[in-house]
Structures are given as structure tokens and as C-alpha cells.
Amino acid sequence: SQQGEEDPQALSIQEGENATMNCSYKTSINNLQWYRQNSGRGLVHLILIRSNEREKHSGRLRVTLDTSKKSSSLLITASRAADTASYFCATDEGGYNFNKFYFGSGTKLNVKP
Amino acid sequence: NAGVTQTPKFQVLKTGQSMTLQCAQDMNHNSMYWYRQDPGMGLRLIYYSASEGTTDKGEVPNGYNVSRLNKREFSLRLESAAPSQTSVYFCASSDPLPSGNTIYFGEGSWLTVV
């Protein structure tokens, strides 16, 4: 399947530090999305990057996409304790399967105050 | 707007019992999804519906059935529940326009099969 893989599985940093997590996928895509999940809650959309884009910013978030390596990274700058959550990437199957999404297993981020 | 609403939030079933998880969205989205999430794991796609009147299998469809009742509603049925179906179930919806295929999730349904 297309399911992405996040790396690392867990990440623990101090408040104020940057957090970088990576996502790799298997087949071509139309777009890649990053989501955040607080414990016991549903997923919340963070940012979407299209296959023809290489970098995108939203507030303290920076996402890059390398379609030749089939990988993406999410950078959270100046992290806060409130950023503690699990982060997932989601990919479609490319082509006309633009609305069939697969998620990776996530990176669990712990930001220590 | 309520977004994506799913019910029930919690359910305990005995092995062999059947139940239906209900989901409704009020964003006029064409596509709807059911995912399951096991402890410490990512989401796995059970079934999805690209548009009203169509459904298709995802990664883990065995033991489940779905119905896209209309554009708003997409239900997931467990015909004969098994302990392996103990999980958190998430309904979601999306549309290419205007949100660019952003996926909106419900708050989850915690299902325990004993």
C-alpha cells in the first residue's frame, strides 16, 4: 500500500528547540499532508503540500517535499509544550486516486517545559 | 458548523454482536472515510466513499461493511464483532474544493469487543 512511514517514532526535546520529523512514501502522489493528534482526540490538519511544490510555510511550521526521494519533512520551530502530540503524514495514491488517503504510523513528539 | 459528527463515542460489544457506527458531515464534501487506529499506531483505511453512491475497500476491510446513505452520511457496520476489532474508529471527509482535499476528522468512537 501507499502507507507512509514517519521517522523518528518518538522525539523528545526542550521547549524552544526545533523539532524535525520525516515521512517517506512509496508511490507517486498528488499531495502530501501533515496532521496533528492530541492524545485521545481526532486528527487536525496542519499543512498540505502539492507534488509540484518543494517547500511550504505556515506560522512555525515548515514542510519540504522531495518527490525524487519520495520523502517529506516537517519542521516545527521554537517548539512549545503545547506542541506535544503525535504527528502524521498522509498521502494519496496519485493520479485519479486523489481522494484515497493513507497515513503513516506517526511521530510522537514530547516537548519538555 | 459541527464538521464531522460520529456516534456513539464509546461502545462495548460482546463477541458476535453487531453494531453500526454513524457518521455525518455538514461541509457538503463528496468524499468520506472510515479509519481505525490501534493503540500507538497510525490510522488504517477501512473503507472510503469517493462520492455519493460509491464505496471502495481500503487497507483493512474484512469484517466491516459500509453504506453511503446520502451525501452527508456514511455508516460503518460490524456484522459479527471480534476482539481484534477493538479499536478507535475515525470518520472523516474531504473535498478537492475549496479545501484542497484537507481531511476533516470526527472525534472518534472507542469500541471494545469482549
Side-chain angles (χ1 to χ4, degrees), chain B residues 48-78:
Chain B
Y48 78 108
S49 170
S51 61
E52 185 179 355
T54 68
T55 62
D56 205 351
K57 296 177 181 179
E59 301 167 90
V60 287
N62 291 345
Y64 305 95
N65 285 303
V66 290
S67 294
R68 183 74 183 266
L69 304 169
N70 47 55
K71 193 172 185 180
R72 287 188 66 248
E73 297 172 289
F74 189 38
S75 62
L76 178 71
R77 182 161 178 84
L78 287 70

Side-chain angles (χ1 to χ4, degrees), chain A residues 8 28 31 35 46 56 60 72 83-84 93 95 98 108 110:
Chain A
S28 63
N31 61 60
Y35 287 79
L46 295 176
K56 204 161 182 181
R60 293 184 296 114
S72 173
D83 293 329
T84 294
E93 286 189 329
F98 56 84
K108 195 165 185 176
N110 180 33

Side-chain angles (χ1 to χ4, degrees), chain A residues 25-113:
Chain A
Y25 56 93
K26 295 177 183 174
T27 68
S28 63
I29 59 172
N30 292 299
N31 61 60
L32 182 145
Q33 306 184 48
W34 284 92
Y35 287 79
R36 163 194 171 124
Q37 184 181 36
N38 289 92
S39 183
R41 305 298 300 272
L43 279 73
V44 174
H45 179 258
L46 295 176
I47 196 165
L48 179 152
I49 186 165
R50 301 187 192 285
S51 60
N52 61 353
E53 297 175 313
R54 291 297 167 258
E55 187 170 314
K56 204 161 182 181
H57 297 255
S58 177
R60 293 184 296 114
L61 305 180
R62 172 178 168 251
V63 169
T64 61
L65 178 65
D66 186 337
T67 52
S68 66
K69 294 181 179 178
K70 293 187 173 56
S71 68
S72 173
S73 67
L74 171 68
L75 169 66
I76 303 173
T77 59
S79 63
R80 306 166 182 167
D83 293 329
T84 294
S86 292
Y87 293 81
F88 297 88
C89 67
T91 53
D92 60 36
E93 286 189 329
Y96 290 105
N97 291 320
F98 56 84
N99 56 4
K100 188 174 182 181
F101 297 101
Y102 295 94
F103 285 78
S105 53
T107 292
K108 195 165 185 176
L109 175 65
N110 180 33
V111 182
K112 294 177 280 187

Side-chain angles (χ1 to χ4, degrees), chain B residues 21-43:
Chain B
L21 298 173
Q22 306 286 354
C23 176
Q25 51 92 9
D26 62 3
M27 295 172 283
N28 202 36
H29 285 169
N30 279 304
S31 301
M32 295 187 73
Y33 313 85
W34 278 105
Y35 290 91
R36 62 175 286 175
Q37 184 177 33
D38 299 316
M41 304 280 288
L43 279 74

